[in-house]
Amino acid sequence: MLAYLAAIIAAMQRRTFLKASLAGIGGACLGAPALAAAPAIDVVVYGGTAAGVAAAVAAARQGARVALLEPGEHLGGMVSGGLGHSDTGRKETIGGLSLEFFQRVGRHYGTDVAWDFEPHVAEEVFKQMAAEAKVNVFYRHRLKEHGGVRTSHRRITEVITDDGMGNGRSFPAQAFIDASYEGDLLAQAGVSFVWGREGRDQYQESFAGVRILDKYAHHLFEVPVVARDARGHLLPNVDSGPRGEAGTGDKKVQAYNFRLCLTHDKGNQVPISAPSHYDARQFALLARLIAAGVKKNGKPPTMHQLTSMSPLPNGKIDLNNSGAFSTDFIGRNWEYPTASYRRKEQMWHEHADYTAGFFYFLAHDSQVPEPLRAEVKSWGLAQDEFTDSGHWPFQLYVREARRMVGDFVMTQHDATTAPAKPDPIGMGSYNMDTHHCQRYVQSDGMVQNEGDTEVPTIPYQISYRVLVPKAGECQNLLVPVCASASHIGYGTLRLEPVYMILGEAAGVAAKLAIDQHTSVQKLDTRQLTQTLTREGGIVAWTNPRHLQLTPPA
């Protein structure tokens, strides 16, 4: 069987939940025998992402009984799902459990700290951390799609999962943490959320909404490429709708992709075969881009010019999007944030088909110059990674989906001109970084990408309030991944080291709220900050020179 097909089938077997009905779960039937009860727990964490593991471990270390519910079969989310080259920003801002993770990975490789690592090593470290903290991990426990959250008096009382075998399970607790990339728990709890992009006027953010072509926009078509074929039809992978006026908001979502782990080592290599529905015409725009580049530069591009290739230990690379047409499946994820489980599964496969087709086209199509074909062929999937899913990453890189709307919303200003906060739980420093949201036709008939934003920040304190819903909506839920931020503000929060910082804060806050017999909105944030600092968290920047940088216009 083709390696790629095997990857997809194995991933489907792991990810797809059986359709057996959970009749009787919901309403007055929640006490029915079919609904198994979980062990006594204080805190439920939904989502075994890096943030979820950090939240669960932090709460457990504070003495809470914790259940970590993971819809799939792996811990770590993107950190163990292919993103082995960490986006760190200023490393001095990373502390607490987040830094501990990177130090533990470093010890595996015989060094003090490692920011670049193999996926399977990351997952083993997460498992060790959870086991040592005595976190109860429940794999294949996805939130029931409808009626999965029960509430009373603005508090979640329990969540109900499907274990993949048609069996429902109830998880009552005192506090809940939604650490998923999608925010399904917060949505079912009735918490306000948005997706897409705000306009400039909503929060007075100069970089918000539809973007203009400026020095902060990258991965553009640098050579003119016609968007239509000889009959006037749009080429595949070009959006048919209008771009939108500059600065206006929309429901377009920054692109997703897979972070493949590739190797040059022939003894540890599985070739990337064509997907079952491969059609070379889907890459006609890529062929035109390559031809235009050859004409301009007099030589074919290299693989490094079409993708981002970050070295990992043992001869592997973390491969990411780079350039005008790469591994980002631009414009094909707009419906993902609020899509059904079934549609999300379909989109996972559509992205996998696109990614495998992209590499197969570069390696085998006669329109691609032979030197580039040979270079791409020299790489393959790492055979010792993702061994239960055909060596294909189990995690789609969901860069942004739902974003909670709390009483406080982090915006561009919090990372540029207003970095100090009265209730800090950690720090951030990475660029406000968002990927393209659409690929459109310009007035001259040429194709262009839109949405990329790479804006410098200054080291800034992160407010506890980004984790907290409005008090009138839910008083015992914390949200470290789909946090309360604008699209532009979220661009600097959405890095995995920061997710882990937010996850740890959520775990500690959950236990404090329980101990103080109060809502997450009213807990003593001074005590929270002190606890996080005592545990090694970084909540203040000690070099004031960097807080006086002139922010971008």
Side-chain angles (χ1 to χ4, degrees):
M1 181 178 291
L2 295 177
Y4 172 74
L5 182 59
I8 294 302
I9 291 175
M12 272 297 287
Q13 290 173 340
R14 180 188 56 77
R15 291 171 56 87
T16 301
F17 292 84
L18 301 180
K19 303 297 183 180
S21 171
L22 294 179
I25 296 181
C29 298
L30 278 169
L35 193 62
I41 47 181
D42 301 310
V43 179
V44 165
V45 180
Y46 183 65
T49 61
V53 176
V57 169
R61 287 182 180 179
Q62 295 299 312
R65 297 166 296 180
V66 182
L68 175 57
L69 315 181
E70 164 52 33
E73 294 182 351
H74 296 274
L75 291 185
M78 279 305 304
V79 178
S80 60
L83 204 165
H85 174 64
S86 303
D87 298 312
T88 57
R90 293 184 177 273
K91 296 180 177 64
E92 307 97 305
T93 62
I94 300 173
L97 276 171
S98 186
L99 179 60
E100 179 184 334
F101 166 78
F102 294 108
Q103 290 172 331
R104 283 175 174 249
V105 173
R107 289 199 292 272
H108 172 87
Y109 291 113
T111 186
D112 292 337
V113 64
W115 307 102
D116 300 283
F117 42 81
E118 298 159 280
H120 75 273
V121 173
E123 183 167 11
E124 285 304 312
V125 170
F126 283 127
K127 287 181 177 179
Q128 291 166 6
M129 293 174 73
E132 290 170 9
K134 295 181 171 54
V135 171
N136 296 301
V137 181
F138 296 84
Y139 295 100
R140 295 184 66 84
H141 275 63
R142 181 170 62 178
L143 189 68
K144 188 169 179 277
E145 187 164 16
H146 303 289
V149 179
R150 282 182 59 84
T151 63
S152 176
H153 299 93
R154 299 187 299 280
R155 294 178 66 86
I156 300 172
T157 57
E158 63 185 321
V159 297
I160 303 161
T161 65
D162 175 358
D163 68 357
M165 302 300 292
N167 301 312
R169 193 159 195 176
S170 168
F171 290 86
Q174 298 182 67
F176 296 81
I177 297 171
D178 187 344
S180 68
Y181 292 119
E182 290 83 5
D184 290 333
L185 194 160
L186 74 88
Q188 287 202 41
V191 170
S192 297
F193 64 87
V194 295
W195 72 99
R197 304 186 281 186
E198 296 86 359
R200 288 179 191 163
D201 294 340
Q202 184 162 351
Y203 298 115
Q204 289 73 54
E205 295 175 296
S206 59
F207 293 99
V210 175
R211 297 276 292 114
I212 59 175
L213 301 181
D214 59 21
K215 67 179 182 179
Y216 299 110
H218 302 276
H219 307 292
L220 302 169
F221 283 80
E222 306 290 352
V223 292
V225 177
V226 177
R228 300 181 185 274
D229 63 20
R231 295 179 294 175
H233 297 152
L234 276 180
L235 295 178
N237 295 303
V238 180
D239 300 321
S240 59
R243 183 198 71 169
E245 294 296 322
T248 58
D250 55 33
K251 292 300 183 184
K252 297 170 183 176
V253 179
Q254 64 172 310
Y256 302 165
N257 71 342
F258 282 97
R259 297 288 286 260
L260 300 186
C261 184
L262 304 183
T263 180
H264 250 151
D265 181 0
K266 297 297 183 184
N268 187 34
Q269 196 179 83
V270 176
I272 302 176
S273 302
S276 57
H277 301 293
Y278 175 72
D279 183 353
R281 291 174 295 182
Q282 293 295 312
F283 301 95
L285 185 62
L286 176 58
R288 287 189 178 186
L289 175 63
I290 291 172
V294 170
K295 182 177 179 180
K296 176 183 178 181
N297 301 316
K299 58 182 180 180
T302 64
M303 186 172 164
H304 184 73
Q305 292 172 309
L306 295 176
T307 62
S308 173
M309 305 168 67
S310 300
L312 304 178
N314 296 314
K316 300 172 186 175
I317 60 169
D318 168 2
L319 191 134
N320 194 14
N321 180 85
S322 184
F325 194 114
S326 187
T327 60
D328 275 4
F329 201 14
I330 298 174
R332 300 302 179 265
N333 63 331
W334 294 347
E335 64 182 296
Y336 187 92
T338 58
S340 67
Y341 287 170
R342 181 178 180 182
R343 180 65 187 125
K344 283 185 171 72
E345 292 291 344
Q346 291 172 341
M347 297 177 78
W348 188 96
H349 288 283
E350 289 165 4
H351 280 72
D353 284 345
Y354 168 80
T355 308
F358 171 80
F359 282 101
Y360 189 82
F361 179 86
L362 289 176
H364 298 280
D365 199 280
S366 61
Q367 299 174 86
V368 178
E370 194 282 330
L372 177 57
R373 275 184 280 154
E375 182 185 8
V376 175
K377 283 181 185 177
S378 70
W379 292 93
L381 299 170
Q383 191 173 40
D384 59 350
E385 299 290 349
F386 311 118
T387 56
D388 64 346
S389 59
H391 317 291
W392 194 267
F394 56 84
Q395 180 66 60
L396 175 64
Y397 195 176
V398 178
R399 291 188 170 93
E400 182 177 355
R402 292 182 176 97
R403 300 190 309 279
M404 181 174 66
V405 181
D407 287 325
F408 172 83
V409 177
M410 178 176 169
T411 69
Q412 169 183 325
H413 309 292
D414 295 292
T416 56
T417 60
K421 293 292 176 286
D423 53 354
I425 54 173
M427 297 201 70
S429 64
Y430 200 81
N431 287 352
M432 289 181 285
D433 180 13
T434 69
H435 285 231
H436 285 299
C437 297
Q438 61 181 327
R439 181 176 287 139
Y440 68 99
V441 184
Q442 299 181 133
S443 58
D444 60 1
M446 302 300 163
V447 68
Q448 192 52 274
N449 297 332
E450 183 277 319
D452 181 85
T453 310
E454 300 179 36
V455 181
T457 67
I458 57 178
Y460 59 88
Q461 292 178 314
I462 303 171
S463 168
Y464 167 67
R465 289 163 289 166
V466 303
L467 306 178
V468 180
K470 296 174 182 178
E473 295 178 345
C474 189
Q475 298 181 0
N476 65 337
L477 173 68
L478 294 141
V479 183
V481 177
C482 298
S484 182
S486 69
H487 168 69
I488 291 297
Y490 194 74
T492 181
L493 280 183
R494 66 169 192 85
L495 292 312
E496 295 290 341
V498 178
Y499 281 158
M500 285 189 269
I501 290 170
L502 299 182
E504 179 177 13
V508 173
K511 184 60 166 63
L512 281 177
I514 293 170
D515 291 345
Q516 295 174 9
H517 304 287
T518 190
S519 68
V520 295
Q521 290 84 6
K522 293 182 178 180
L523 67 79
D524 184 347
T525 57
R526 291 171 300 178
Q527 185 176 350
L528 173 60
T529 299
Q530 291 169 0
T531 303
L532 292 170
T533 303
R534 186 171 63 246
E535 297 296 330
I538 306 297
V539 299
W541 184 247
T542 57
N543 188 345
R545 181 176 67 86
H546 293 298
L547 295 180
Q548 299 169 3
L549 297 176
T550 301

